[in-house]
Amino acid sequence: MKKLVLLGLGISFLAFSCKTAANLNVDKAMKTAESQLNYSLKLHPDKTTYPRSINPDGSTFLVPSRDWTSGFYPGSMWYMYSYTNDQSWADTAAARNAGLESVKFNTHTHDLGFVLYCSFGNGLKLTENPEYAQILLQGAQTLIKRFDPKIGSIRSWDFAPWEYPVIIDNMMNLEMLFWATKYSGDSTFYDIAVKHADTSMKNHFRADYSSYHVVDYDTLTGGIKAKKTHQGYSDESAWSRGQAWGLYGFTMMYRETGDEKYLDLAEKIAAFILNHPNLPEDMVPYWDFNAPNIPNAPRDASAAAITASALLELGRYSKTGSTYFDAAEKILISLSSPAYLAKPNTNQGFILMHSTGHLPKDSEIDTAINYADYYYLEALLRYKMLNQ
């Protein structure tokens, strides 16, 4: 079987060794995940729409290619191909990728990294298809058109009431820019990624290293107009998935630059998450660390999966790596239990249950969401690589 491949991570990932928990059976979890993906494909044969979550009536919420979550579905299939070496998964992923190509020209979203790098990026790593490289390069060229040098950030949303909003999620789209510099030799992509990260580092974080969701900037002066938490409980609360995006994003920044300031910040974000008094015993956070109805607040398995994947990488770089590995292991044990892992042929083919998308908008509450599945698979593969 070929070596497992993950975006941005090469052979050096194997240098960090760890123990194996007897009660985390990666192969069993992956078998369940494969069964669910196959079930999903039977339910949703249309290659132009992508299962995102489950509607309140129990039906699947399907989205078009322009939706920010569309790349996670084929991305999960690429991860399954990485794990199984079954060519049918590569063929299926490639077929689902095809409907996303037009997104490379979409100048109206910052989520090109999510859409293109999770799909074509994984495909490129596993197949070395030169067409995928050209799609990614065009996507990177499109993404940097949203960069304003006066503000020092890539704009996130284009809708009111924001003037120039930048969300912590945007850190996740920078990885494609680093790839673009390595592929093209053009340092512009790298420089913009670093500037965006530095601006976010300066303006998004509170004294306790929790993160605001949104920083809105003045386009004339470049100054800050407001700091908000749009998808969390309140502006000063710690929206759980936002904390996970920050942890993952700044860990990636250290990998790509080697700059210790990013590692230091990632460790401080991890400390906020792991030491928070409202983190449940099973390590799957409530949708917001400051939700008023804890312990009866909805959980967010997606935040847990993103955090686990990030912690496994952070453990490679930190002097206290075993702490992060142990925490990630506990999260994965919980997510792989019947409390969160769906039974085969249920859950509309999604792998995990109990994620929360946008509770203040009454959207995707305590349900399955495709990015939870994607980062869960990524975390399982990272864990398996560490134990080879």
Side-chain angles (χ1 to χ4, degrees):
M1 181 179 288
K2 66 181 185 314
K3 179 173 79 269
L4 294 172
V5 177
L6 292 174
L7 293 180
L9 303 180
I11 296 174
S12 62
F13 193 81
L14 303 178
F16 180 81
S17 61
C18 57
K19 60 183 175 62
T20 301
N23 52 349
L24 177 55
N25 188 328
V26 172
D27 293 331
K28 181 179 179 181
M30 291 297 292
K31 183 177 180 180
T32 298
E34 183 174 22
S35 175
Q36 285 298 90
L37 282 173
N38 275 316
Y39 181 52
S40 176
L41 288 167
K42 291 178 182 178
L43 293 176
H44 312 297
D46 179 11
K47 298 181 178 62
T48 64
T49 58
Y50 301 84
R52 169 170 166 161
S53 60
I54 300 177
N55 291 312
D57 66 3
S59 62
T60 302
F61 177 30
L62 297 168
V63 294
S65 61
R66 66 178 179 273
D67 189 83
W68 78 274
T69 69
S70 59
F72 295 119
Y73 192 56
S76 292
M77 295 170 191
W78 284 118
Y79 280 154
M80 194 56 62
Y81 172 54
S82 177
Y83 174 75
T84 64
N85 202 31
D86 183 340
Q87 183 62 37
S88 67
W89 280 117
D91 295 341
T92 302
R96 299 288 170 150
N97 270 11
L100 301 175
E101 181 175 354
S102 63
V103 177
K104 67 186 180 183
F105 294 118
N106 187 352
T107 59
H108 301 292
T109 179
H110 71 104
D111 288 314
L112 292 169
F114 278 133
V115 176
L116 299 176
Y117 205 59
C118 293
S119 55
F120 292 103
N122 271 314
L124 179 63
K125 281 282 184 178
L126 291 164
T127 69
E128 299 182 354
N129 184 337
E131 294 181 4
Y132 289 178
Q134 291 306 306
I135 292 168
L136 291 169
L137 183 59
Q138 177 59 61
Q141 291 168 341
T142 300
L143 177 58
I144 63 174
K145 292 178 180 178
R146 298 182 65 83
F147 178 75
D148 185 331
K150 180 183 294 185
I151 294 170
S153 288
I154 298 168
R155 182 185 182 115
S156 296
W157 301 325
D158 290 340
F159 55 84
W162 316 101
E163 183 172 340
Y164 194 100
V166 178
I167 62 177
I168 192 64
D169 320 36
N170 211 342
M171 290 297 302
M172 303 293 286
N173 294 295
L174 303 183
E175 190 171 4
M176 185 170 71
L177 299 185
F178 286 114
W179 170 87
T181 284
K182 285 181 280 191
Y183 178 77
S184 69
D186 185 349
S187 63
T188 302
F189 304 104
Y190 183 105
D191 294 341
I192 287 175
V194 167
K195 183 61 178 176
H196 179 99
D198 288 349
T199 302
S200 297
M201 173 183 276
K202 178 181 178 182
N203 297 329
H204 262 83
F205 290 89
R206 306 181 182 96
D208 63 359
Y209 298 101
S210 64
S211 170
Y212 290 96
H213 182 198
V214 193
V215 177
D216 196 20
Y217 293 92
D218 187 311
T219 55
L220 295 179
T221 67
I224 296 171
K225 292 187 65 178
K227 296 184 178 183
K228 301 286 186 178
T229 299
H230 182 60
Q231 287 178 249
Y233 167 62
S234 70
D235 289 339
E236 295 302 322
S237 71
W239 174 52
S240 296
R241 195 163 68 253
Q243 313 317 302
W245 292 141
L247 175 63
Y248 192 113
F250 282 99
T251 300
M252 177 274 298
M253 286 299 301
Y254 177 70
R255 180 219 306 155
E256 296 296 336
T257 68
D259 193 325
E260 293 285 339
K261 69 184 180 184
Y262 300 130
L263 175 61
D264 180 63
L265 178 56
E267 291 179 323
K268 288 173 177 173
I269 299 169
F272 172 83
I273 295 171
L274 298 179
N275 297 325
H276 200 285
N278 287 340
L279 182 67
E281 186 176 349
D282 69 0
M283 307 285 283
V284 178
Y286 301 101
W287 72 279
D288 191 300
F289 282 97
N290 305 107
N293 55 337
I294 291 173
N296 298 315
R299 301 295 189 92
D300 188 1
S302 75
I306 298 159
T307 297
S309 187
L311 289 172
L312 288 169
E313 182 173 10
L314 180 59
R316 293 177 52 218
Y317 313 135
S318 174
K319 294 179 181 178
T320 57
S322 61
T323 298
Y324 302 127
F325 169 78
D326 290 346
E329 187 176 63
K330 290 178 182 178
I331 294 171
L332 288 176
I333 289 170
S334 293
L335 293 180
S336 302
S337 74
Y340 296 96
L341 187 64
K343 294 180 180 179
N345 300 325
T346 67
N347 206 39
Q348 289 294 306
F350 292 95
I351 301 166
L352 293 180
M353 303 178 287
H354 305 307
S355 290
T356 299
H358 191 346
L359 190 145
K361 196 177 178 181
D362 197 27
S363 174
E364 298 177 322
I365 301 172
D366 190 23
T367 189
I369 303 179
N370 65 5
Y371 46 82
D373 293 353
Y374 176 88
Y375 289 103
Y376 173 64
L377 293 178
E378 181 178 272
L380 287 174
L381 291 176
R382 287 182 171 184
Y383 185 91
K384 186 174 180 66
M385 288 173 73
L386 291 171
N387 283 287
Q388 286 183 334

